[in-house]
Amino acid sequence: MERFEPRLRRAAEMLKQVRSGIAFTGAGISTESGLADFRSPGGLWERYRIVTYREFLASAEARAEYWQMRRELIPALLKAAPNAAHRALAELETKGRLAAVITQNIDGLHQLAGNTRVIELHGTNRSASCLSCGRSWPIEDIQQRLEADDLDPHCESCNGLIKPDTVSFGQAMPEQAMAEAFALAEQSGLLLMIGSSLEVQPAASIPAAAHQAGARLIFINRTATPLDSIAEVIFREAAGKTMELLTKLVSSPCQ
Ligand code: APR
């Protein structure tokens, strides 16, 4: 692979040439905030079983398994802070270089970093709702119940099942968010993909849709992805450092 500096300069030039680009992020952008991703060695799917939406609805045992994972992960989520990569995306928005962040992440760190247009394709882990009446709670309230060993929390109002506002495997994707994400992908001149293995559909087809519509792609991901062949510039370096240096170059006066 070409040395880092020339790739960085090329990526900066690409960002400077578009009116405004979009970012597409996955769990890899949050690992430097102390949150494990899913498919790296030691990732969440090595430690927990995927509980599908159907299982969640059908079995108290599956819900207990699901909530035990949440009980272990929520404290880290609540402690996590945006890292240099999140901050760089917020700076690109402030400088009018980024129209939106489309994310698969459920950690809310893009909003905490200051991005104002964040499309959450897989929902958010920061709140939970009753699947029957729609009543909603901040996740902190549910965590208290989990820590009091209530691993199958039900709604006090209607006794419905409570679930985090995330999209589980087998659960319908948020239509509005998907439509907005594809519309943005199809009208953007540049897509910056950060920290996703691009293994999960339909989210992973966003970068392909952008490319199909003529967008230029920059990928920042430690490991190879199925879409690497359509990326113009690829960084295997860490997202934090790469985004910090890239944003500095984009903001510096033209060389
Ligand atoms: N810098 C750059 N890349 C990184 C870093 C880092 N600091 N840390 C991890 N990565 C890369 C990994 O190499 C990996 O390819 O980020 C990628 C994360 O991939 P996944 O763990 O598969 O996460 P993601 O792509 O977001 O998963 C998509 O799968 O399980 C579902 O709903 C879940 O939204 C998630 C979806």
Side-chain angles (χ1 to χ4, degrees), residues 26-28 31-32 37-40 45 104-105 122 167 169 195-200 220-223 237-239:
T31 53
E32 293 168 65
D37 66 12
F38 295 94
R39 294 173 184 81
S40 288
W45 296 144
Q104 302 170 92
N105 297 343
H122 294 162
V167 179
F169 283 96
S196 179
S197 62
L198 298 180
E199 298 277 342
V200 172
I220 302 176
N221 203 63
R222 276 208 180 288
T223 49
E237 293 81 1

Side-chain angles (χ1 to χ4, degrees), residues 20 93 155:
S20 77
E93 177 185 314
C155 173

